[in-house]
Amino acid sequence: MPQPLLTLDFLDTAAPAAEATPSGEVRITAATRTGRQRKLYIESYGCQMNFSDSEIVSSILFDEGFDTTDDLANADLVLLNTCSIREKAEQTVRMRLKQINSHKKRKPGMLVGVLGCMAERLKSKFLEEEKIVDLVVGPDAYRDLPGLISQVDGGQKGVNVLLSREETYADITPVRLNSNGITAFISIMRGCDNMCSFCVVPFTRGRERSRDAHSIVQEASALVAAGYKEVTLLGQNVDSYKWASADGTEHVNFAQLLERVALISPALRVRFSTSHPKDITDEVLHTMARHDNICKYIHLPAQSGNSRVLALMNRTYDRPWYEERVQAIRRILGEDCAISTDMISGFCSETEEEHQDTLSLIDFAQYDMGYNFFYSERPGTLAARKLEDDIPLEVKKRRLQEVIDRQQIHARARYARMVGRVHQVLVEGPSKRSAEHLSGRNSQNQVVIFPKQNFQKGDYVNVLATSTTGAALLGEAV
Ligand code: SAH
Ligand code: SF4
Ligand code: F3S
């Protein structure tokens, strides 16, 4: 069993730096001070796609005379970039709007807008339900923000929730205000064409579309030139990335895109998320194997370990298929490649035996990390229309806890097997708990903490792992 290290109480958690998965994190866009007239405050919820979109929104509004601020009380325009994935995510935003209302009372000129998935789901209903809201803008309509803001300045409400089949914001350079200057996210596609029966994303993000491969390579190259050392390519289902040039002479799939980005520089690490088990190909795995700078970590959400439940979820693979993909990863990339999952507990009609199958899949895959949730019915989805949400909340919660506990055993074991080995760590900054230590990640996305000596942010350091907390490796530079 792993040895917890008792002398140091580090808690730098292995946060989902490479996830398109909702992390429960709230992100406030950092301030710019360039003397622009109006102040924009953006708070982002949900997944990395939203965090990435907020950088695009800041860029669009910067050109419109807005500096960003991290002080809500001082803002002229407050934007919440929202998430609809589970009921709780929406409740959080409703509560936040109440708090913002009290600020608005003190500063009556303050405009309040809702962006993102909840804006798309609720559309103009939002204006009826939340009187404080002036502006409702869906994820494909951010270019219209300047026009909508002038409309609101003129005393009207502004709504644009049109979804697009083309919009990828490929030409807008995001302003990376929250960045550490070392790691960055690049959206390579938008939307989702899968129809998982539990999921609201196809309704809030629209049809799947892939961004111009050249604009992606250009963005990554510009980041390298600016000193960045790691990029994460983001999409709901990166393996279905597919782009063709207008004249039809050039076709790029995900494996090829990954290779193009990896070839920009051997000093650039490349990550990606999320991989759909039905689509991840051996070609992608071989591409990962060929390039040392493509990190050996795959987020491969299973959702359930039972084939009947997977069919009800409309995931379009069954358990044997999923197990075969895990075996392919182990065969092509070896035991060291990290794998993580998302699991949903208590989906419609899930029996105790079927829940046990999820636990046994966790044992089979020995995941490094799991993002686990209990099922939350979302209005308008296939499951809401066709299936009964019949598992009592206490049962959902108990099953979820069992999933979390089982996953924890494997996470600890996966950390423990890395002790005694040397890891190449990209330093992201000081450790949260000690200014004398640095924190970074290895290729597997595990957190590694070590005494800082003369190393600094952005360095690649070879670190011998000497112990683990179960959620981080501790070691020393060699
Ligand atoms: N595109 C990714 C998932 C994006 S949503 C994929 O296909 O794997 C992130 C995670 O939220 C999902 O993997 C799922 O585990 C969870 N999720 C989505 N809808 C949910 C719901 N209605 N209730 C509970 N969890 C949900
Ligand atoms: Fe949702 Fe499924 Fe699309 Fe993922 S693949 S975003 S779970 S519909
Ligand atoms: Fe992301 Fe939440 Fe939308 S997870 S895509 S912000 S529903």
Side-chain angles (χ1 to χ4, degrees):
M1 283 305 287
Q3 291 297 309
L5 187 109
L6 298 174
T7 49
L8 291 167
D9 177 32
F10 291 113
L11 263 180
D12 301 52
T13 48
E19 300 319 315
T21 288
S23 59
E25 190 190 340
V26 183
R27 192 171 285 199
I28 295 163
T29 297
T32 52
R33 290 184 187 81
T34 63
R36 281 173 165 66
Q37 267 203 332
R38 296 169 91 182
K39 298 244 172 312
L40 160 67
Y41 173 94
I42 314 188
E43 211 168 84
S44 315
Y45 296 81
C47 63
Q48 275 306 336
M49 310 289 277
N50 257 8
F51 299 160
S52 173
D53 281 358
S54 291
E55 296 177 336
I56 288 168
V57 168
S58 313
S59 173
I60 293 171
L61 291 181
F62 192 70
D63 293 343
E64 283 299 302
F66 282 91
D67 262 329
T68 45
T69 173
D70 50 14
D71 178 10
L72 172 57
N74 254 326
D76 301 298
L77 171 61
V78 174
L79 297 178
L80 299 186
N81 197 355
T82 61
C83 174
S84 287
I85 200 82
R86 283 172 289 275
E87 197 182 350
K88 190 159 169 274
E90 292 203 352
Q91 283 164 353
T92 309
V93 167
R94 301 264 188 190
M95 307 234 293
R96 190 64 177 138
L97 282 171
K98 293 205 167 49
Q99 292 167 349
I100 291 169
N101 206 7
S102 64
H103 287 275
K104 188 169 170 155
K105 283 198 181 112
R106 267 174 259 142
K107 193 173 179 198
M110 182 186 268
L111 306 183
V112 178
V114 182
L115 314 178
C117 290
M118 223 176 140
E120 191 61 51
R121 194 177 84 70
L122 291 164
K123 306 188 168 52
S124 49
K125 254 205 295 191
F126 228 123
L127 298 176
E128 294 152 32
E129 291 175 13
E130 304 284 345
K131 295 287 173 246
I132 170 188
V133 174
D134 303 299
L135 201 60
V136 178
V137 189
D140 286 345
Y142 297 146
R143 282 182 207 267
D144 197 21
L145 270 166
L148 292 166
I149 291 168
S150 348
Q151 210 170 306
V152 175
D153 285 338
Q156 289 170 283
K157 300 269 177 177
V159 181
N160 187 343
V161 288
L162 287 176
L163 287 171
S164 156
R165 277 172 178 260
E166 285 94 35
E167 181 64 273
T168 59
Y169 301 108
D171 57 317
I172 296 179
T173 310
V175 286
R176 299 181 191 275
L177 294 171
N178 283 55
S179 165
N180 54 9
I182 304 298
T183 59
F185 292 88
I186 301 181
S187 284
I188 64 164
M189 53 206 298
R190 298 181 72 85
C192 183
D193 278 354
N194 296 313
M195 273 287 168
C196 301
S197 61
F198 52 80
C199 185
V200 77
V201 171
F203 304 94
T204 62
R205 293 266 161 180
R207 297 302 296 269
E208 183 180 284
R209 62 222 100 121
S210 297
R211 179 177 162 189
D212 181 328
H214 297 284
S215 81
I216 296 168
V217 172
Q218 265 164 21
E219 188 173 334
S221 307
L223 286 165
V224 172
Y228 282 79
K229 297 286 175 63
E230 182 181 296
V231 293
T232 302
L233 308 180
L234 285 182
Q236 289 300 352
N237 180 4
V238 290
D239 298 283
S240 64
Y241 177 88
K242 201 160 109 222
W243 176 79
S245 58
D247 61 5
T249 54
E250 200 187 351
H251 292 260
V252 184
N253 68 15
F254 181 60
Q256 293 158 338
L257 177 74
L258 195 56
E259 182 142 69
R260 285 191 190 191
V261 177
L263 287 171
I264 293 172
S265 160
L268 179 70
R269 271 187 174 179
V270 188
R271 299 186 185 275
F272 56 88
S273 188
T274 297
S275 300
H276 195 298
K278 81 174 158 60
D279 294 321
I280 188 167
T281 58
D282 286 358
E283 189 191 359
V284 168
L285 303 178
H286 286 298
T287 306
M288 291 175 75
R290 268 201 307 279
H291 296 276
D292 279 344
N293 61 330
I294 304 180
C295 290
K296 303 300 178 276
Y297 168 47
I298 300 174
H299 184 51
L300 192 71
Q303 313 297 359
S304 166
N306 176 271
S307 295
R308 188 192 74 92
V309 175
L310 287 169
L312 282 180
M313 288 176 162
N314 204 22
R315 288 290 285 182
T316 69
Y317 54 84
D318 56 11
R319 177 165 178 154
W321 172 278
Y322 187 90
E323 288 188 349
E324 191 283 324
R325 290 291 79 202
V326 170
Q327 283 164 335
I329 294 169
R330 300 285 181 231
R331 183 173 68 240
I332 296 168
L333 293 162
E335 286 301 313
D336 282 354
C337 183
I339 308 177
S340 62
T341 188
D342 297 341
M343 294 291 190
I344 297 178
S345 293
F347 186 64
C348 312
S349 78
E350 183 192 65
T351 64
E352 278 309 317
E353 292 71 40
E354 290 165 342
H355 160 63
Q356 290 296 329
D357 287 342
T358 296
L359 299 181
S360 77
L361 183 64
I362 295 173
D363 292 340
F364 176 87
Q366 299 182 27
Y367 296 110
D368 291 72
M369 180 92 85
Y371 303 94
N372 305 307
F373 316 95
F374 64 77
Y375 174 57
S376 164
E377 184 178 88
R378 307 313 293 130
T381 55
L382 269 168
R385 284 181 280 140
K386 302 259 190 274
L387 303 170
E388 198 187 337
D389 181 12
D390 55 356
I391 308 297
L393 185 61
E394 322 81 77
V395 177
K396 286 181 180 174
K397 286 188 171 167
R398 193 251 306 146
R399 289 181 189 170
L400 172 62
Q401 194 54 51
E402 288 172 11
V403 165
I404 292 170
D405 292 345
R406 186 67 63 94
Q407 175 44 40
Q408 195 58 33
I409 295 171
H410 294 289
R412 284 178 173 277
R414 295 286 297 178
Y415 265 101
R417 68 192 286 286
M418 294 300 193
V419 172
R421 291 161 55 172
V422 175
H423 301 264
Q424 191 198 52
V425 177
L426 173 60
V427 179
E428 289 175 20
S431 160
K432 281 180 202 141
R433 293 298 164 105
S434 152
E436 294 310 305
H437 289 74
L438 293 172
S439 173
R441 282 160 209 275
N442 61 10
S443 174
Q444 290 78 7
N445 205 38
Q446 291 173 316
V447 174
V448 183
I449 295 159
F450 61 98
K452 105 171 162 213
Q453 297 172 280
N454 292 322
F455 298 110
Q456 45 190 327
K457 194 166 88 170
D459 286 348
Y460 284 105
V461 182
N462 288 322
V463 177
L464 171 68
T466 50
S467 63
T468 175
T469 63
L473 292 168
L474 308 171
E476 53 211 36
V478 290

